[in-house]
Amino acid sequence: MDNQRGQLDRLNPGLFNLGLNISSISDKEQLHDVHLYLSTTRKEDPTPTVHNILECMIAYVENKRPLLKRKALKRLESILNDNPHHLNALADIETIYRQMQMDKHAEIYNTRKNEILKSNDPEHIRQKAICLLEQGYCILAEDADGYGEASKYCTAIDYLEYGLSMLKSKHDSDPTECIIWKYYVALAYMRYDRRIRVESTTCLSYFFEVIKYLENFDDEDKHFYIARSYIYIGWISIRDSLEANSINSFSGDFQNILQHPLEACERAYRKRPSDTVVLNRYARCLIKNFTRIENPKDTNDLELAKSLLEKSLTISPESNWGAYTTNIDLCQTWTKSPNIKMDDDETKDFLLRAVADGRKCSETKISEKDCVDIADICHRLARFPHKPHLQGEGYVHQEEYLYESLSFLHLGRIKGGKMNYFNSFLMGRCLSDLKEYRTAAEWTKRALYLSRPDKLWGSLQNLCWYLYSLYCIDADQDYLLEEILVLMVYGSSFSTEQTFIERMTKSMMKLRKDQLLSVVAFFNKSQYRTDRLYLDTMQEIKTFLRPNQRGFVEKTVVIPRDDILDEPFANSFSPLPKEELFDDSKKTYDFFLFNSCKDSGWITAHLLRQLEQSFDENEKALRGCVDRRDFQIGKSVIDNICNGISKSRHTLVILSPTFLEHRLNQLQCNSRIKKLVEHKQADDETAVILVVIEKCTIPESLKQLQCIDLTENTNMLQEILKLKSILLS
């Protein structure tokens, strides 16, 4: 943060240069919601400390609508009537006048602003400090849900701490004003620590400092900051499950509060029983506390949370985002707890109310997590009263809820901006219930790649189910058995569960006996039967099967010849046809896969479909040229390879030990292939890309190529998305 502090010496007043998220909003309804939220925040905060910057933010939103520019100017002028030296108001008025092509008016405010910036008068120094503090608060206020980027909160901390140090440097600074600004510094640290997942001891000490100082005042306005500090202390203590050494760094009453965080919530409630932030956070603390109890026997915490949220919504029924989202969390916790018995009518009523709250949230603002929670509830309603994890037909009773679930998941991806395990996993479930098994499998693969090693089971089990559902529709597609086999080996090699193979085998024998036996039969006749990793996995699986099942063959399995694409080509030196030259107008494929035949199963299971699938309307599905599928019968392999390279925008060299053994010679020695590859590289450095799928030594001739590393399971999806981005560029 220190690097940015140096830049703050060059003070740049105003909101227009802060890069606020609201600057990108143009929708009239969204602007109305932001305006309402800021106006409500101003009414709730009883002290005038942040009123001026909230007025500036409201003016900023009004200025987004051309017909309200004059209203925005009047709002900012009213700030200057009370404080002629308010830098942020001066700067924003100047900017709005320049937008209106009124440079002479703008210059008047620019002159007034610069006079203050250049002055060393104590009052002007104070105004510069307030300017920084307000800008930091502004960044915080627009991300009130706490789901903003860590870099945003880092910037807010820089502005707030630097401004506070300037304010304190004045010999006549008001200690009460300083302590109130310290509350906002603590708030920024709380949100920053949450995003980077570290213990929030800094913000806790700041909140305690605020409480300790302000409790000396018998002033209702000060109760606002005391109550909010207590409620955030309670929330942080429960959320982070603080370590003993963190708690012991505090003393006396504060240490006791950290050991019993609900006491902090109770104190906040006694101070401000009608504060919606206190009510909503208290309810969230109770829900979180309930989930931490092993085998809870009663619902007292959840009952209290429910009554607090009802009170919050009575006080503020409109745009009460905190109450809506906490209600959703309450529904998930209450209806999913195995120790709470609810009849079907009561459960369904709870789920329906949660969906209604989710719809209200989506009209104002909603987080990625809330979208996934509502999508999960919609999925449960579609199958109600059946359990959501049950596989097979006949469980879906209200298909409309599946479509609503998919809509919320799509909204969640827009909000989150990146792939999320829960989003991908639930997409797979919804699509499979709609019998879109192929797409469901690809989404579930993404969930598989995003899984922790100890959480692979759910994704892998569903994935195998979806693929075998496809196999049941078309049993001639033996590549599906190969795909299942490859994924099972992937799971067993990546999982940290010692009993993973046993669990997987017994589960599949129970749910899909024919599926597992077909895979075993496929393995017994496949090229994988000599591969040590596959052999070890299959031998372990077979220990959990009866002897008569270990060689089970349900039908004749057609296995592609291992050597059909691995014949020697070093002596093929026929001249290169003119049509094979690098001609962009003849490109019919986005990429050509140059790989060993023995890697085809891995490529199909993990890479090919992820590249050829569109997971979003903004994501293009690519078209690849693949040996098994796209090579022309009757042509020599060399002709097919050259044709594939010349008709593709990119060539992907799939590097593995088997590639080095069977394919490298073609790439380095065959004149036709070599000339085509060199021609592509000369024209575009990303035209030939190295994709490493198994750890091996990279030959010197390939080290200059751009490399995608798929050898690390934890980074596989990120690397695949990186590759797709290159292919789309």
Side-chain angles (χ1 to χ4, degrees):
M1 299 180 190
D2 293 334
N3 293 335
Q4 191 167 346
R5 298 239 173 103
Q7 299 175 9
L8 294 181
D9 288 329
R10 301 187 295 276
L11 190 59
N12 191 5
L15 275 57
F16 287 87
N17 301 311
L18 289 179
L20 299 174
N21 295 333
I22 53 178
S23 64
S24 60
I25 297 176
S26 56
D27 181 75
K28 184 177 179 180
E29 288 187 9
Q30 283 186 299
L31 288 172
H32 171 76
D33 291 334
V34 174
H35 193 289
L36 179 62
Y37 159 70
L38 293 171
S39 300
T40 304
T41 303
R42 191 192 183 289
K43 290 176 184 176
E44 288 179 348
D45 199 320
T47 61
T49 308
V50 295
H51 284 183
N52 282 339
I53 191 59
L54 283 166
E55 285 291 297
C56 285
M57 292 182 75
I58 293 169
Y60 185 94
V61 172
E62 290 172 339
N63 182 62
K64 297 279 293 177
R65 298 175 62 185
L67 297 181
L68 296 182
K69 282 184 180 290
R70 182 59 184 155
K71 185 177 181 180
L73 284 170
K74 287 183 176 180
R75 190 180 295 276
L76 293 169
E77 287 285 4
S78 69
I79 297 173
L80 295 180
N81 290 338
D82 296 329
N83 179 7
H85 304 129
H86 193 273
L87 283 167
N88 286 314
L90 287 168
D92 285 350
I93 291 175
E94 177 200 347
T95 300
I96 294 173
Y97 273 131
R98 292 198 189 282
Q99 290 175 351
M100 297 171 69
Q101 310 297 313
M102 298 174 66
D103 290 346
K104 193 174 288 186
H105 285 69
E107 200 55 43
I108 295 171
Y109 292 91
N110 183 46
T111 301
R112 289 171 60 182
K113 178 188 73 176
N114 287 332
E115 285 175 357
I116 299 169
L117 291 175
K118 294 174 183 177
S119 170
N120 289 320
D121 181 85
E123 177 55 26
H124 289 167
I125 292 173
R126 179 180 178 277
Q127 290 301 326
K128 284 185 270 190
I130 294 296
C131 175
L132 286 168
L133 289 163
E134 288 182 337
Q135 287 179 316
Y137 172 85
C138 187
I139 297 169
L140 266 187
E142 72 158 359
D143 277 322
D145 53 14
Y147 285 98
E149 292 294 325
S151 58
K152 279 275 188 183
Y153 299 132
C154 182
T155 302
I157 290 169
D158 284 331
Y159 277 97
L160 288 163
E161 286 201 325
Y162 191 54
L164 186 57
S165 66
M166 283 181 65
L167 192 62
K168 286 181 176 179
S169 67
K170 286 180 77 272
H171 69 278
D172 60 345
S173 61
D174 180 357
T176 303
E177 183 181 31
C178 291
I179 205 70
I180 288 173
W181 280 115
K182 194 149 201 173
Y183 163 83
Y184 292 109
V185 177
L187 201 57
Y189 266 110
M190 182 184 80
R191 293 178 185 167
Y192 176 70
D193 293 344
R194 176 194 181 189
R195 302 312 288 165
I196 63 172
R197 298 184 183 279
V198 299
E199 283 199 350
S200 307
T201 50
T202 301
C203 69
L204 285 172
S205 62
Y206 284 1
F207 280 133
F208 281 134
E209 195 176 331
V210 170
I211 292 169
K212 189 174 181 179
Y213 180 86
L214 294 180
E215 279 191 328
N216 297 320
F217 296 85
D218 186 18
D219 184 345
E220 184 63 31
D221 289 353
K222 305 301 184 293
H223 288 179
F224 172 87
Y225 296 102
I226 296 171
R228 294 282 180 96
S229 295
Y230 270 129
I231 201 66
Y232 289 134
I233 288 168
W235 170 242
I236 293 165
S237 303
I238 289 177
R239 182 196 70 190
D240 294 352
S241 299
L242 296 175
E243 299 289 339
N245 59 343
S246 298
I247 294 175
N248 293 335
S249 64
F250 297 92
S251 60
D253 187 42
F254 293 151
Q255 187 179 112
N256 181 61
I257 287 173
L258 295 178
Q259 290 171 336
H260 306 91
L262 288 180
E263 171 62 24
C265 299
E266 182 59 33
R267 292 188 187 189
Y269 182 67
R270 288 199 297 266
K271 286 285 184 185
R272 301 244 323 160
S274 298
D275 187 329
T276 56
V277 171
V278 170
L279 293 168
N280 297 339
R281 285 284 176 177
Y282 192 179
R284 194 168 284 275
C285 288
L286 289 163
I287 297 166
K288 188 73 173 177
N289 187 64
F290 178 86
T291 61
R292 288 171 55 184
I293 300 171
E294 189 174 350
N295 298 321
K297 301 301 181 183
D298 59 57
T299 60
N300 292 342
D301 281 351
L302 300 185
E303 293 282 2
L304 179 54
K306 184 180 178 182
S307 65
L308 290 168
L309 292 171
E310 288 172 352
K311 182 176 181 180
S312 176
L313 286 167
T314 301
I315 294 169
S316 178
E318 298 296 326
S319 301
N320 195 340
W321 180 86
Y324 295 146
T325 58
T326 308
N327 243 340
I328 295 166
D329 200 17
L330 176 64
C331 172
Q332 289 284 69
T333 304
W334 204 317
T335 57
K336 284 189 172 183
S337 176
N339 297 307
I340 299 176
K341 303 301 180 184
M342 300 175 69
D343 61 41
D344 286 350
D345 290 340
E346 189 179 7
T347 301
K348 188 171 185 179
D349 181 60
F350 224 135
L351 296 173
L352 289 170
R353 282 190 282 117
V355 171
D357 286 337
R359 290 167 183 155
K360 290 175 185 175
C361 273
S362 65
E363 294 170 1
T364 52
K365 59 177 181 176
I366 191 169
S367 71
E368 180 187 18
K369 177 186 178 299
D370 296 325
C371 287
V372 174
D373 283 343
I374 291 298
D376 181 45
I377 292 170
C378 287
H379 180 249
R380 291 167 66 190
L381 281 168
R383 290 169 146 255
F384 194 83
H386 297 297
K387 299 295 184 184
H389 66 274
L390 295 174
Q391 299 285 11
E393 297 182 6
Y395 292 117
V396 176
H397 300 297
Q398 290 184 280
E399 199 173 84
E400 281 303 310
Y401 281 114
L402 292 176
Y403 290 100
E404 187 164 11
S405 181
L406 291 173
S407 297
F408 273 105
L409 290 171
H410 176 65
L411 180 59
R413 291 194 297 279
I414 293 173
K415 295 291 182 181
K418 59 183 179 181
M419 281 294 162
N420 171 289
Y421 165 79
F422 297 103
N423 193 304
S424 301
F425 184 80
L426 195 51
M427 278 291 297
R429 277 192 167 174
C430 290
L431 289 166
S432 72
D433 281 339
L434 291 166
K435 297 183 175 57
E436 296 284 351
Y437 297 118
R438 181 74 262 176
T439 316
E442 296 315 310
W443 275 104
T444 309
K445 280 180 192 175
R446 291 203 164 186
L448 185 70
Y449 301 145
L450 292 165
S451 300
R452 299 200 310 268
D454 60 332
K455 298 292 184 183
L456 277 175
W457 175 243
S459 299
L460 186 62
Q461 184 183 38
N462 283 6
L463 184 50
C464 291
W465 179 276
Y466 305 152
L467 291 172
Y468 199 71
S469 297
L470 282 172
Y471 182 73
C472 291
I473 294 170
D474 187 356
D476 290 330
Q477 302 298 324
D478 286 318
Y479 70 85
L480 290 166
L481 296 177
E482 182 179 31
E483 199 169 340
I484 294 170
L485 174 63
V486 171
L487 290 163
M488 286 168 63
V489 173
Y490 167 85
S492 64
S493 63
F494 185 36
S495 176
T496 57
E497 291 185 64
Q498 292 184 347
T499 60
F500 183 84
I501 295 292
E502 179 181 1
R503 184 182 179 191
M504 177 174 66
T505 305
K506 290 181 177 179
S507 174
M508 291 178 75
M509 285 297 291
K510 181 180 178 182
L511 296 173
R512 281 290 198 183
K513 175 182 175 181
D514 292 346
Q515 169 189 3
L516 183 60
L517 297 181
S518 296
V519 172
V520 172
F522 176 87
F523 170 80
N524 289 337
K525 289 180 171 289
S526 75
Q527 60 184 350
Y528 300 102
R529 64 188 181 277
T530 58
D531 186 294
R532 175 51 54 191
L533 182 60
Y534 285 81
L535 188 59
D536 289 347
T537 302
M538 195 54 64
Q539 290 294 349
E540 192 173 349
I541 288 174
K542 287 182 178 182
T543 61
F544 301 105
L545 301 179
R546 293 195 302 272
N548 66 318
Q549 294 172 333
R550 294 171 187 170
F552 178 88
V553 180
E554 187 180 51
K555 65 183 190 64
T556 302
V557 182
V558 180
I559 306 297
R561 282 174 51 201
D562 295 348
D563 62 345
I564 195 166
L565 296 179
D566 292 326
E567 55 193 87
F569 297 106
N571 297 323
S572 178
F573 293 106
S574 55
L576 185 69
K578 289 183 180 180
E579 61 268 21
E580 287 183 355
L581 292 176
F582 195 67
D583 183 358
D584 253 355
S585 64
K586 296 186 177 181
K587 298 294 177 286
T588 55
Y589 301 103
D590 293 297
F591 61 89
F592 170 73
L593 288 175
F594 194 13
N595 60 279
S596 166
C597 176
K598 293 182 179 180
D599 294 324
S600 294
W602 190 100
I603 291 166
T604 301
H606 292 291
L607 179 62
L608 181 61
R609 299 193 190 283
Q610 291 289 314
L611 296 178
E612 294 192 325
Q613 178 79 37
S614 173
F615 290 86
D616 198 291
E617 63 261 28
N618 297 319
E619 184 179 340
K620 182 184 175 184
L622 300 171
R623 186 185 180 198
C625 181
V626 186
D627 49 20
R628 291 184 180 183
R629 184 186 66 194
D630 300 305
F631 277 14
Q632 295 180 31
I633 298 173
K635 278 191 174 184
S636 72
V637 176
I638 279 292
D639 285 342
N640 268 310
I641 290 175
C642 291
N643 187 56
I645 293 173
S646 63
K647 288 188 175 181
S648 303
R649 292 192 302 112
H650 299 271
T651 297
L652 306 184
V653 179
I654 311 298
L655 191 64
S656 68
T658 55
F659 178 90
L660 295 177
E661 181 182 352
H662 298 285
R663 282 283 184 271
L664 185 62
N665 190 44
Q666 295 175 9
L667 189 62
Q668 293 179 334
C669 301
N670 186 278
S671 61
R672 295 173 65 192
I673 295 175
K674 187 176 181 181
K675 186 172 182 180
L676 273 172
V677 170
E678 288 175 351
H679 202 125
K680 289 172 80 82
Q681 282 182 274
D683 192 75
D684 179 3
E685 62 180 16
T686 66
V688 183
I689 301 168
L690 187 66
V691 181
V692 185
I693 65 170
E694 193 175 342
K695 291 187 181 298
C696 56
T697 303
I698 299 177
E700 286 295 326
S701 60
L702 302 180
K703 285 185 176 178
Q704 81 280 7
L705 298 178
Q706 185 162 353
C707 183
I708 298 295
D709 184 3
L710 300 184
T711 61
E712 296 294 334
N713 292 325
T714 52
N715 294 322
M716 186 180 291
L717 182 57
Q718 288 84 345
E719 287 291 296
I720 290 174
L721 293 175
K722 177 183 173 183
L723 173 60
K724 196 165 188 178
S725 175
I726 295 170
L727 297 176
L728 286 168
S729 62

